[in-house]
Amino acid sequence: MNRSVLALLLSGLVFPGAGQYYLGRRARACLFIVPSLVAAIYFFKQVVDTASRMVDDVLSGSLAPDPVLIAEQLHRQGATATPLMNIAAAVMLACWVASLVDAWLLARAQERGAPPPRKQEGTS
């Protein structure tokens, strides 16, 4: 597998910026990792807060422990559709796509600029 494909897979499947990190561009990787990490932490915090409120409602008896009723309650609250959640989603998406494109282009540039591999002695 060549470096450009591996860098692309790392940025696409592991985390935005992982491909740049693999290619040795640590500062460039941070441009994608930091905002993505902040957005992911915000998402996680919102999900945990919402789940905690729902558990409290079930434990207090104000909400029946019925999955359908819980889903309806979440839908009515619109807990995940806050403006900050939308911004966090946009940041995460932008970092992910930009990281994919940048990792691919960076790896291709490094492959073009790298000297050709030397032949080992004894091979033709």
Side-chain angles (χ1 to χ4, degrees), residues 52-101:
S52 179
R53 282 193 307 270
M54 298 303 282
V55 167
D56 289 343
D57 288 346
V58 169
L59 292 176
S60 71
S62 63
L63 180 62
D66 178 13
V68 174
L69 293 176
I70 292 172
E72 288 174 3
Q73 179 72 12
L74 282 172
H75 183 68
R76 275 195 302 267
Q77 288 179 353
T80 58
T82 64
L84 283 177
M85 287 293 278
N86 292 336
I87 291 170
V91 166
M92 188 66 133
L93 181 63
C95 285
W96 186 31
V97 171
S99 175
L100 287 169
V101 172

Side-chain angles (χ1 to χ4, degrees), residues 1-14 18-20 22-23 99-111:
M1 182 179 305
N2 63 16
R3 290 172 58 85
S4 57
V5 172
L6 186 55
L8 185 69
L9 288 173
L10 287 170
S11 283
L13 299 176
V14 175
Q20 288 80 359
Y22 164 73
L23 294 170
S99 175
L100 287 169
V101 172
D102 184 63
W104 177 263
L105 294 175
L106 181 61
R108 299 292 288 183
Q110 285 182 358
E111 288 170 355

